[in-house]
Amino acid sequence: MSTTAFDVIIIGEGIAGLTAAGALAKHGLSAATFEQQIFGGLVLNINELDPAPPGGEAGGAAFAAEMTQANAEAGVTSIQEPVTAVAAADGGFGVTTEGGGYRARQVIVASGARLKMLGVPGETEFEGRGVSKCADCDGPMFQNETVAVIGGGDSALQEAQVLTHYCGKVLLIHRGAAFRAQQRFIDRVQANEKIESRFGTTVEAIVGGQMVEKLRLRSAAGTEEIPCAGVFAYIGLEPNTGFLPAGVQCDARGFITAGDTLETAVSGLWAVGAVRSGCGGSLADAMAEARRAADAVAARLK
Ligand code: NAP
């Protein structure tokens, strides 16, 4: 088993992890980023970053690719292996992946979050056959058709807007009585004639044959089935934390509690970005706290 050692291991190559790694390299520290799938994290599927950070005007994938390239040039090691465990050992940390074992003096957890699933019949069955997690990638498949977006937060409203570029009609289905997204997203949705919002409504099942054909909805008026070719659920996020060592504290939803210092209850283990409880939710927030954690780690290691 490999025992390659770094000053700092950063878990996750989303925008927060890439930012932290770049900042650590500038401090002259050896840094390695670990990624289980592909660099970019949640923004990989977002073509229109809103607001776009400087350099992010060409969309999430291009932004992440540029940061990855810059990190490589600055000497950051990128390792495409899923992290399975982190353990405090010998005054530092042992990081175990599916490919081997590594050591670091400090660890920054920037493993992000994944989209929550609705958990209704048909959702898994029709994945890739009408059920999608990416409006930008799959929207073009629904030219002039009716699709449904589920949720009432920033993601649902932003992605509903994206889908109107392709679809004939977007049903925006929200369980609550009012959206809790940023006002500018609400204004855009309300002004878009292709979007029909339904409140107080939940999805009971996704129904179809070869492909999605209908949604079964429940509201105070009872249940109804509505024709619909695509279903995009944006109902919030679940943190990626399966590898955490004992002692790290999390909130009731499983997001890491690190507070303002960004250091977790385990000394030397930091958390930034979407995996951290209380992260502001914008890219700018995630990048700012990633830089802050990198500075704090660098100060600790001097
Ligand atoms: P979110 O803010 O947690 O909103 C999730 C929405 O889904 C809520 O409206 C919630 O309803 C609903 N929901 C949750 N579970 C549900 C279920 N089982 N069935 C039906 N509906 C359900 O998630 P998000 O919109 O993905 O945003 C995540 C974070 O990223 C937020 O901090 C957000 O501000 C940020 N974000 C920012 C931008 C941007 O700045 N451009 C874009 C996207 C996301 P209730 O309202 O009833 O709880």
Side-chain angles (χ1 to χ4, degrees):
M1 180 180 274
S2 166
T3 52
T4 310
F6 302 93
D7 289 324
V8 189
I9 281 177
I10 302 102
I11 302 173
E13 288 184 345
I15 298 300
L18 293 172
T19 302
L24 288 161
K26 279 192 185 133
H27 281 291
L29 295 166
S30 66
T33 50
F34 284 73
E35 174 58 51
Q36 61 175 348
Q37 290 175 331
I38 181 173
F39 65 81
L42 284 168
V43 303
L44 197 62
N45 289 339
I46 301 178
N47 286 347
E48 298 168 30
L49 299 175
D50 183 6
E57 296 79 7
F63 188 45
E66 271 179 32
M67 293 178 81
T68 303
Q69 177 68 25
N71 281 359
E73 287 166 10
V76 174
T77 303
S78 170
I79 299 176
Q80 306 304 300
E81 292 172 12
V83 171
T84 53
V86 176
D90 305 329
F93 293 90
V95 173
T96 307
T97 71
E98 285 183 3
Y102 302 84
R103 286 200 48 77
R105 296 163 72 195
Q106 306 260 302
V107 170
I108 297 179
V109 180
S111 47
R114 58 193 180 277
L115 295 180
K116 261 172 38 179
M117 291 186 66
L118 285 164
V120 299
E123 186 177 28
T124 304
E125 182 188 345
F126 288 109
E127 203 171 316
R129 296 191 290 133
V131 172
S132 169
K133 291 178 162 63
C134 180
D136 276 304
C137 333
D138 294 337
M141 291 196 310
F142 300 99
Q143 295 287 342
N144 301 321
E145 299 202 75
T146 297
V147 300
V149 171
I150 326 299
D154 287 340
S155 297
L157 272 64
Q158 196 172 12
E159 301 308 308
Q161 186 80 18
V162 167
L163 287 165
T164 62
H165 299 159
Y166 315 103
C167 308
K169 182 175 177 182
V170 178
L171 292 165
L172 182 53
I173 295 162
H174 180 36
R175 66 183 180 183
F179 295 130
R180 62 176 168 90
Q182 296 173 55
Q183 191 58 45
R184 64 202 169 98
F185 293 141
I186 296 175
D187 292 342
R188 280 183 218 162
V189 158
Q190 286 172 344
N192 192 321
E193 288 178 355
K194 282 190 173 180
I195 301 178
E196 178 186 319
S197 301
R198 296 203 184 188
F199 297 95
T201 303
T202 54
V203 176
E204 281 201 338
I206 299 166
V207 183
Q210 269 303 105
M211 306 292 283
V212 169
E213 291 169 6
K214 288 184 264 187
L215 264 191
R216 189 176 312 137
L217 301 177
R218 173 171 287 280
S219 68
T223 58
E224 64 172 323
E225 286 196 347
I226 54 158
C228 136
V231 181
F232 297 77
Y234 293 103
I235 59 166
L237 303 171
E238 283 174 333
N240 298 319
T241 52
F243 51 81
L244 289 178
V248 174
Q249 291 176 358
C250 297
D251 68 15
R253 297 185 307 140
F255 290 83
I256 299 174
T257 311
D260 283 346
T261 66
L262 306 172
E263 188 167 21
T264 69
V266 173
S267 177
L269 189 94
W270 311 72
V272 297
V275 74
R276 187 181 73 80
S277 178
C279 177
S282 75
L283 262 192
D285 291 331
M287 293 173 75
E289 64 186 54
R291 284 190 204 99
R292 207 148 55 77
D295 290 347
V297 167
R300 180 78 57 88
L301 292 181
K302 272 192 181 144

